[in-house]
């Protein structure tokens, strides 16, 4: 029972961190969480330990807190994502099944139908789309690597999709990627994904430079 409780607490807190509901710096206290979930402190302690292993939490002043990602880490993660997302797109085009394609087309249609979504929604739907791409590779090692890289970025300050015009442009790029996967065009899929992630990387670098240039309060 304790293992199930720990998994529930872990999954709930992880989802809140990834969605931005628990932003960097948010303190997480064992006693308060135990009361909230209606469990003992043991499963809460296990959940917090796992979240720290995921690099989503870090020691704070009086316990654990949601970890803020450092600028140099952001650059390193994007460099790796450009490589791995490009590879995933090519493998998805080669290995996707009909169910994979239907899922991708469904996610794209859903995102196209959104009207001026907020930043949290853009982050969530974008994560789901890219997860569907990597799952279409049917490559467990590649899926695991990209899952872990994604964890490092989701709580970076401000989404690249919040930049004016980027949401619409990203959806157009997603549409071209889905078409390449549908046509089993590995080369096109790789090129589209590589450009897509490289653009995100450049936007992220711009956001980091702007943040660094702002005066400290």
């Amino acid at each position: 029972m304790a293992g199930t409780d720990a998994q529930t607490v872990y999954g709930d807190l992880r989802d809140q961190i990834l969605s931005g509901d628990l932003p960097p710096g948010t303190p997480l206290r064992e006693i308060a969480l135990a009361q909230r979930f209606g469990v003992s402190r043991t499963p809460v302690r296990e959940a917090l330990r796992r979240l720290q292993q995921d690099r989503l939490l870090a020691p704070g002043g009086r316990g654990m807190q949601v970890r803020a990602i450092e600028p140099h880490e952001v650059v390193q993660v994007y460099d790796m994502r450009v490589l791995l997302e490009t590879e995933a797109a090519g493998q998805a085009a080669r290995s996707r099944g009909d169910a994979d394609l239907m899922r991708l087309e469904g996610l794209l249609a859903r995102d196209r139908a959104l009207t001026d979504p907020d930043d949290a929604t853009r982050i969530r739907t974008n994560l789901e789309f890219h997860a569907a791409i990597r799952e279409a590779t049917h490559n467990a090692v590649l899926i695991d690597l990209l899952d872990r890289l994604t964890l490092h970025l989701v709580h970076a300050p401000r989404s690249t999709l919040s930049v004016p015009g980027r949401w619409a442009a990203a959806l157009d790029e997603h549409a071209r990627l889905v078409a390449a996967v549908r046509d089993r065009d590995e080369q096109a899929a790789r090129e589209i994904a590589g450009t897509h992630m490289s653009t995100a990387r450049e936007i992220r670098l711009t956001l980091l430079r702007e943040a660094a240039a702002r005066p400290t309060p």
Side-chain angles (χ1 to χ4, degrees):
M1 184 66 177
T4 301
D5 289 341
Q7 179 60 36
T8 299
V9 175
Y10 167 80
D12 188 278
L13 293 176
R14 181 178 182 274
D15 288 345
Q16 290 185 63
I17 295 171
L18 299 189
S19 68
D21 290 337
L22 293 176
T26 301
L28 296 178
R29 308 284 188 248
E30 285 186 15
I31 295 177
L33 290 171
Q35 293 174 342
R36 170 185 159 188
F37 287 100
V39 298
S40 71
R41 294 175 65 177
T42 299
V44 170
R45 191 175 300 115
E46 171 64 17
L48 295 180
R49 183 187 63 79
R50 290 180 61 189
L51 290 167
Q52 185 177 14
Q53 289 178 339
D54 289 341
R55 296 175 61 79
L56 293 177
L57 297 183
R62 294 173 55 194
M64 303 300 293
Q65 66 182 29
V66 178
R67 179 176 175 271
I69 187 169
E70 298 294 332
H72 72 275
E73 291 181 87
V74 175
V75 175
Q76 292 169 350
V77 172
Y78 267 105
D79 286 344
M80 294 306 301
R81 282 198 71 191
V82 170
L83 295 174
L84 293 179
E85 294 279 8
T86 298
E87 178 62 22
Q91 291 196 23
R94 180 173 70 244
S95 304
R96 64 87 178 162
D98 291 341
D100 298 315
L101 182 59
M102 285 190 289
R103 182 184 178 197
L104 286 168
E105 290 174 338
L107 291 175
L108 179 62
R110 176 204 62 184
D111 296 348
R112 290 281 204 193
L114 295 174
T115 302
D116 192 24
D118 58 28
D119 205 38
T121 300
R122 297 182 191 197
I123 292 171
R124 176 178 55 79
T125 57
N126 186 62
L127 287 172
E128 290 174 356
F129 178 83
H130 283 281
I133 288 289
R134 58 181 174 266
E135 287 166 14
T137 68
H138 299 279
N139 181 329
V141 173
L142 185 54
I143 292 169
D144 179 64
L145 289 172
L146 279 167
D147 282 346
R148 291 174 183 274
L149 276 178
T150 299
L151 287 176
H152 290 288
L153 279 184
V154 291
H155 55 303
R158 190 181 175 193
S159 166
T160 59
L161 297 169
S162 66
V163 172
R166 182 55 191 158
W167 172 248
L171 291 183
D172 288 341
E173 292 162 12
H174 286 180
R176 291 195 292 273
L177 180 54
V178 170
V181 171
R182 181 189 60 231
D183 296 340
R184 299 191 185 280
D185 190 334
E186 293 184 44
Q187 181 176 350
R190 291 176 188 275
E191 291 175 355
I192 294 165
T195 299
H196 179 72
M197 291 308 305
S198 294
T199 299
R201 179 186 184 279
E202 291 307 308
I203 293 173
R204 176 59 68 194
L205 290 176
T206 298
L207 293 176
L208 289 172
R209 284 192 288 267
E210 291 175 352
R214 285 196 290 268
T216 303

